[in-house]
Amino acid sequence: MTRYVRRLAAASALALAAAAPAAAKTFIYCSEASPEGFDPAPYTAGTTFDASAHPIYSRLVEFKKGTTEIEPGLAESWEVSEDGTEITFHLRQGVAWQSNDIFTPSREFNADDVIFSFDRQGNADNPMHGYLPGITYEYFSAMEMGDLIASVEKIDDYTVKFTLTRPEAPFMANLAMPFASIASAEYADTLMEAGNTEDFNNKPIGTGPFSFVAYQKDAVIRYRKNADFYGDAPAIDDLVFAITPDASVRLQKLKAGECHLMPYPAPADIADIQADENLKLDSQPGLNVAYLAYNTTIAPFDNPKVRKALNMAMNKEAIIDAVFQGAGEVAKNPIPPTMWSYNDAIEDDAYDPEAAKAMLEEAGVSDLNMQIWAMPVQRPYMPNARRTAELMQADFAEIGVNVEIVSYEWGEYLKKSTDPSREGAVILGWTGDNGDPDNFLAVLLSCAATGDGGSNRAQWCDDEFSDLITKAKQVSDQAERAKLYEQAQVVFKDQAPWATIAHSTQYVPMRANVEGFVMSPLGDFTFETVDIAE
């Protein structure tokens, strides 16, 4: 069955490409997994969803290509009050909403869409807040947007004012993230009247450089150039995502010319890619971290000594060698070393099985049985979670801890891992969304991010840590913020809610005739600037 699905995916992608007009340029991206959905607000799976959503949507502000610098998006300009609590955005005029087979817009983008896009996430009484079963808004909640945004006010059709309850240094960078994409209020109203609100997620419309055409689950996503895009028109006419979970199959398709670009090559294949004259390879340090999150609310993992002991039993260098094959480095902090405020003075937990045994005895723990959850998919921060879990299993056995490795389908894995009553420690990771330390420390480790549906998989709520990162968000001077984040990393290391595993190097292989692709430090894949040389 697996081979059949792979052949279907390849055949579908090629059929879609072949069906395009002869003069059209079709770019095929061999993506590594299916998207969770196409609504930007509720999903946090990472690069796959980002890449699937980016062609469709626009935000008030955008990241300048290849950087974490902010530039205008749907807002042409803005002013910030002296105390930092009011931001007034002046919106672009003449920006057209896309249409589809069930909706034709009667108006252009305006302030009503901005207000709707934030209200539906933070206001439980908004009729679109819970339009999908079990829907949560992890980013909005983890970054405490509900407490931060006092109001979003329409001044006129093309002016909107955000009033904040406090100054928030990373706020503008947060608005450039996918969850803050602007959606059509009129489209939502139309779907509610028709009683098919699920199409808000299944048949998305936006104002971005590409329009959604069709999705065949686990096989193909197809887009076309948005002729009404307000920015520079894409160089390609059609964009196809050929969903190909296996890294070796992605590489075979790339070599055969069945796709133009792929993500996440297997580390063992890097030398082969570099030697192929028909391919080229871009690389950069990843703004990411892979980790093992203990559930700190369940005994014996509620004891920092137990967590520390397990960390000391883990041979992380062996994981780097066997799993990352040198394309990464051991992680000691929850943020990557390329990020400002990284505390290099912190010493990692030493690999010391004998000391780990002694610490478990001191904590009164013996004959410990535990689960380690291994992700079923390859991610930018983790090439092979199953192999990583097996290495941990062997390491922990050396100190008398018996490990059962479990996994679930990717969407179920993400959902179940947020359950506060979850058994086991979870292998997961994060690629930065905006280049700000808050995007790691608050989103993944704050008290606000705990609970069912939250992104704090450790369920760790530490008052000292939370006070430090809260203060850091309210300070405008970056040097002062850095000092507070450095202190927060000390608290994290002392309390050990995670075992920090690795920071990976990012590689992007592509056909030699691909032009204009720009690697993002945020790990996402966008295609509005790509072209195919004749």
Side-chain angles (χ1 to χ4, degrees), residues 36 39-44 120-121 131-132 135-138 201:
E36 291 182 273
D39 179 353
Y43 302 114
T44 62
R120 74 179 180 106
Q121 297 186 60
Y131 79 98
L132 293 174
I135 189 171
T136 61
Y137 300 93
E138 280 189 44
N201 186 49

Side-chain angles (χ1 to χ4, degrees), residues 252-268:
Q252 290 170 16
K253 291 168 70 172
L254 186 69
K255 283 175 169 285
E258 295 178 22
C259 57
H260 296 97
L261 185 145
M262 62 169 278
Y264 321 139

Side-chain angles (χ1 to χ4, degrees), residues 41-342:
Y43 302 114
T44 62
T47 302
T48 296
F49 174 68
D50 287 349
S52 300
H54 278 172
I56 310 168
Y57 294 100
S58 307
R59 288 155 286 282
L60 289 172
V61 294
E62 304 278 1
F63 290 118
K64 187 176 180 180
K65 201 73 174 170
T67 75
T68 57
E69 298 174 17
I70 300 299
E71 64 178 9
L74 288 172
E76 289 187 304
S77 62
W78 53 88
E79 295 105 28
V80 182
S81 64
E82 189 172 341
D83 66 358
T85 62
E86 292 184 355
I87 303 98
T88 302
F89 291 97
H90 303 284
L91 309 178
R92 291 184 188 272
Q93 299 187 32
V95 175
W97 282 107
Q98 299 160 6
S99 60
N100 59 23
D101 60 348
I102 57 174
F103 173 72
T104 301
S106 67
R107 62 166 176 82
E108 297 172 338
F109 155 78
N110 66 24
D112 293 330
D113 301 310
V114 178
I115 292 169
F116 162 73
S117 297
F118 289 88
D119 187 70
R120 74 179 180 106
Q121 297 186 60
N123 178 10
D125 293 327
N126 187 302
M128 285 294 289
H129 179 78
Y131 79 98
L132 293 174
I135 189 171
T136 61
Y137 300 93
E138 280 189 44
Y139 277 120
F140 194 91
S141 300
M143 292 185 289
E144 302 179 74
M145 286 287 181
D147 294 329
L148 174 64
I149 300 174
S151 64
V152 184
E153 179 184 358
K154 178 180 178 179
I155 306 302
D156 59 44
D157 279 349
Y158 296 101
T159 310
V160 64
K161 182 173 74 173
F162 283 70
T163 301
L164 309 182
T165 58
R166 60 182 183 270
E168 183 89 350
F171 183 69
M172 291 297 287
N174 291 342
L175 290 187
M177 292 167 54
F179 88 95
S181 296
I182 305 303
S184 168
E186 185 185 19
Y187 186 41
D189 288 341
T190 300
L191 294 175
M192 283 190 288
E193 289 177 11
N196 60 335
T197 54
E198 67 277 2
D199 280 341
F200 196 78
N201 186 49
N202 299 332
K203 296 184 176 182
I205 66 162
T207 57
F210 293 92
S211 300
F212 176 82
V213 176
Y215 171 43
Q216 183 179 348
K217 184 173 173 56
D218 298 330
V220 169
I221 313 170
R222 185 179 176 186
Y223 306 93
R224 71 167 61 96
K225 179 193 295 189
N226 178 10
D228 297 320
F229 181 51
Y230 63 84
D232 295 333
I236 56 175
D237 300 289
D238 295 286
L239 173 63
V240 174
F241 283 37
I243 299 166
T244 314
D246 189 295
S248 63
V249 176
R250 291 199 298 274
L251 182 55
Q252 290 170 16
K253 291 168 70 172
L254 186 69
K255 283 175 169 285
E258 295 178 22
C259 57
H260 296 97
L261 185 145
M262 62 169 278
Y264 321 139
D269 290 332
I270 297 302
D272 181 35
I273 293 167
Q274 290 172 325
D276 191 324
E277 63 182 12
N278 295 312
L279 305 179
K280 57 185 177 181
L281 184 70
D282 286 357
S283 66
Q284 66 182 11
L287 194 73
N288 60 42
V289 64
Y291 60 81
L292 178 74
Y294 306 105
N295 188 339
T296 62
T297 65
I298 292 181
F301 307 105
D302 57 343
N303 185 341
K305 286 185 177 180
V306 173
R307 304 194 295 263
K308 278 280 191 184
L310 293 173
N311 289 359
M312 292 163 57
M314 188 184 301
N315 187 345
K316 294 194 285 189
E317 290 286 358
I319 293 174
I320 294 293
D321 291 342
V323 178
F324 293 81
Q325 300 195 25
E329 60 180 300
V330 166
K332 65 180 180 180
N333 290 328
I335 64 174
T338 53
M339 178 167 278
W340 62 270
S341 83
Y342 180 82

